[in-house]
Amino acid sequence: MFADSAKIFIKSGKGGDGHVSFRRELYVPNGGPDGGDGGRGGDIIFEVDEGLNTLSDFRHVRKYAAQNGEEGGKRRCHGKDGADLIIKVPAGTVIKDEETGKVIMDMSGDHKREILLKGGRGGQGNMHYATATMQVPKYAQPGQPGRELWVRLELKVIADVGLVGFPNVGKSTFLSRVTNARPKIANYHFTTLNPVLGVVDMGGGSSFVIADIPGLIEGASEGVGLGHSFLKHIERTKVMIHMVDAASVEGRDPVADIHTINGELKAYNPQLLERPQVIAANKMDAVYQEDGVPDPVVRIREAFEPEGIPVFPISAVSGQGIKELLFYVADLLKDMDTEPVVFEKEINLEFPDNENLPFTVEKVEDGIYSIEGPRIDKMLGYTNLDSEKGFAFFQKFLKTSGILDELERQGIQEGDTVRMYQLEFDYYK
C-alpha cells in the first residue's frame, strides 16, 4: 500500500552540562575555577531526498532523537557537540504538528533542508562565574534540554495537473498514452491504489507534470473508499482534468459523476473549485449513436460549458482528441505561476527559554545551609521580600526550583538556618 502519511516522534539533543573544577597545579595551591562548557545538543534536520517517493520508511521507525552534547571537562575543556540527526523525506512532504494539525514546514520549492528542532545550548562551566566576591564558585550551568514533538508527515504530490474521475473511466490508459508513466491497467475498480505521476512533453522544451489521483467516489471527503487518503494530493495541482465515461459502458451518468466529484472536492477544500477545470469525455470509440438517443458530448457541454468548463471528446485507446486537450491545458498553465504550490507555515516552533542558571545547596555545618549561584542572585535582584506578594513569590520559587527538595535531601530540620548571600532565615515546613 502506498504510504503517504506517518506519525513520528522527534527530539533534539540536550546540551551538555557545564563542569565544576579548579586548577590543581604544583606551586598553585589555590587555583581558580577551570570548569569547561558543555557541548551543544544535536539538531533535528529534515532534508529532501529526490530518490524517495513514499513515506514507507517511517512505518518501521517512529522515534528519532539527535545526540546529546557532552559535559564540559577540567582545564577549560569544551564538551563535544552532539551530532545532528538528518531525516530524509520525499519532495512534497508537509510536516504538521500532530496535536494542532497546523503546518510547521512544507518540504517543497526552495525548502530542501530545514532545521525543525534546535539542540539545547551547552551549559557554562564554573570558570564563567568567578567574581571578586565569589572566587570559588561551586556551581556550573546545566545544559538546556532538548526539544521534543510528535509530528505528522503528509506527502502531497507535486503536479501541475490533477487527473480526477470515478474508477474505471480510463485515467490510467490516458496517462500511459500521454506521459512516460506506466501505471497498472485492468478492467476493475480501484486498479490504481496510489497517485501516479507522469511528464507530458509538449515539444520545444515545454512540459508539465500530470498526476492520476485515485479513489474518488461518492463520500470520498468523509473517508469512504480510498478517497480521504488521496484527496490531499489534489491540493497542489493548478488545473484539474475531469475524466468521464461518455459511452456509459458501466451504466454511469457522466454529468452526475462530475457533479458528485465536484461535491467531494468542495467538501474537502472549497478553494479547489476555484481552479480551472477541463472535462475529458473519454471512450468516444465506444459510443454508438442510435436514433432518438441524445449525443452524450452535447449533453455534457450543455451542462458545464455555460459554467466556463470546456469539454473535449477523446479516446484514450485510439488517441482521438488527446492532442487538442493537452494543448489547451498547456496554454492554461502558461498564464500561471511556474513555482509549485507551497503550503504556508501556520505555526512557529518557539519554545520558552528555560531558566536554567546554576545554583548550589550546601550544608556548611550542623544546622546551617548555604544557597548560592547566579539563579539565586538574579531572583533576589527582582524580588521585594518586604511585600506580601514578593514573599509569596519567593516561597514559590524555592519550591518550583527544587531548592526545598534539595535541602530536605541533605537533611535539613525545622529551625535550621538557611543563608542566601545577605539573607538569612529559619527553615520551617
Side-chain angles (χ1 to χ4, degrees):
M1 182 65 180
F2 179 71
D4 61 358
S5 180
K7 175 184 174 182
I8 63 171
F9 175 79
I10 55 176
K11 183 178 181 180
S12 60
K14 174 188 177 298
D17 295 335
H19 190 69
V20 176
S21 61
F22 299 91
R23 288 176 60 198
R24 291 293 180 264
E25 300 175 18
L26 194 62
Y27 310 119
V28 187
N30 296 311
D34 69 350
D37 300 341
R40 176 188 62 82
D43 299 336
I44 292 289
I45 301 173
F46 279 81
E47 185 175 270
V48 170
D49 185 340
E50 301 294 348
L52 297 176
N53 54 20
T54 77
L55 299 174
S56 58
D57 291 347
F58 298 98
R59 289 187 167 185
H60 310 294
V61 181
R62 296 294 180 92
K63 294 189 176 181
Y64 297 83
Q67 191 176 42
N68 294 333
E70 290 186 357
E71 181 184 352
K74 299 178 181 179
R75 300 180 182 178
R76 301 176 176 252
C77 289
H78 194 290
K80 183 180 178 182
D81 291 343
D84 298 334
L85 179 64
I86 299 175
I87 302 175
K88 297 192 175 183
V89 295
T93 300
V94 179
I95 306 167
K96 294 183 176 180
D97 175 30
E98 174 65 17
E99 184 177 352
T100 64
K102 293 185 176 180
V103 175
I104 300 171
M105 183 60 61
D106 182 357
M107 303 301 292
S108 306
D110 295 330
H111 302 290
K112 301 294 186 185
R113 180 185 170 96
E114 298 289 338
I115 299 175
L116 211 72
L117 296 181
K118 293 192 71 66
R121 290 197 305 269
Q124 293 184 324
N126 70 333
M127 64 179 181
H128 294 279
Y129 297 108
T131 65
T133 57
M134 175 55 67
Q135 297 184 13
V136 189
K138 299 178 182 178
Y139 42 77
Q141 186 181 30
Q144 275 192 333
R147 314 305 190 188
E148 57 184 52
L149 192 67
W150 281 97
V151 296
R152 170 72 58 179
L153 307 182
E154 289 187 355
L155 178 59
K156 300 174 189 275
V157 299
I158 301 176
D160 302 303
V161 179
L163 186 59
V164 299
F166 273 71
N168 211 28
V169 295
K171 301 197 305 297
S172 295
T173 303
F174 173 80
L175 197 69
S176 66
R177 172 175 280 274
V178 302
T179 75
N180 55 357
R182 292 294 176 264
K184 180 181 176 184
I185 300 171
N187 188 31
Y188 52 88
H189 289 186
F190 297 118
T191 301
T192 308
L193 297 180
N194 55 276
V196 179
L197 276 70
V199 178
V200 179
D201 185 1
M202 299 301 296
S206 174
S207 64
F208 58 85
V209 180
I210 187 169
D212 175 6
I213 310 295
L216 296 192
I217 60 174
E218 191 166 7
S221 59
E222 299 172 0
V224 177
L226 300 174
H228 190 68
S229 299
F230 296 117
L231 273 165
K232 66 172 74 74
H233 297 297
I234 302 176
E235 292 186 273
R236 291 195 197 272
T237 59
K238 301 168 185 175
V239 176
M240 273 182 286
I241 299 177
H242 282 267
M243 184 160 289
V244 293
D245 177 4
S248 299
V249 172
E250 298 188 347
R252 304 196 60 84
D253 181 354
V255 173
D257 282 358
I258 295 170
H259 283 306
T260 298
I261 288 180
N262 274 338
E264 297 303 323
L265 296 177
K266 182 179 180 180
Y268 180 75
N269 183 350
Q271 294 181 346
L272 294 175
L273 294 186
E274 299 174 6
R275 299 174 191 177
Q277 297 187 15
V278 180
I279 296 173
N282 192 27
K283 302 191 179 182
M284 292 304 297
D285 54 302
V287 172
Y288 297 98
Q289 201 64 43
E290 299 179 8
D291 293 338
V293 177
D295 185 339
V297 175
V298 172
R299 182 166 169 263
I300 297 171
R301 281 176 169 157
E302 288 176 348
F304 296 102
E305 287 194 342
E307 300 178 15
I309 304 175
V311 178
F312 289 84
I314 70 165
S315 170
V317 173
S318 69
Q320 171 191 344
I322 288 180
K323 184 182 294 185
E324 292 79 4
L325 169 65
L326 296 180
F327 275 108
Y328 179 84
V329 171
D331 286 339
L332 283 176
L333 292 171
K334 284 179 183 176
D335 299 327
M336 297 182 178
D337 188 357
T338 56
E339 293 299 316
V341 176
V342 178
F343 295 95
E344 295 292 330
K345 182 185 292 189
E346 297 176 328
I347 184 173
N348 286 313
L349 297 181
E350 294 180 355
F351 295 88
D353 191 5
N354 293 332
E355 185 65 85
N356 67 335
L357 291 173
F359 64 87
T360 58
V361 178
E362 184 179 13
K363 186 176 182 178
V364 179
E365 55 185 82
D366 286 345
I368 300 178
Y369 294 81
S370 173
I371 304 174
E372 296 178 341
R375 188 167 182 181
I376 308 303
D377 195 26
K378 184 176 180 181
M379 182 274 299
L380 293 175
Y382 58 67
T383 305
N384 181 11
L385 297 180
D386 295 330
S387 71
E388 183 178 344
K389 284 186 177 180
F391 190 72
F393 172 81
F394 171 67
Q395 289 180 310
K396 183 178 180 181
F397 170 81
L398 293 178
K399 184 176 181 179
T400 57
S401 63
I403 291 175
L404 291 182
D405 291 339
E406 181 60 23
L407 286 169
E408 291 177 0
R409 191 187 69 81
Q410 295 193 23
I412 194 169
Q413 302 295 320
E414 290 197 2
D416 286 352
T417 300
V418 177
R419 294 173 181 169
M420 289 187 179
Y421 295 104
Q422 294 79 26
L423 178 69
E424 188 173 291
F425 62 92
D426 294 334
Y427 172 80
Y428 289 100
K429 279 193 174 182

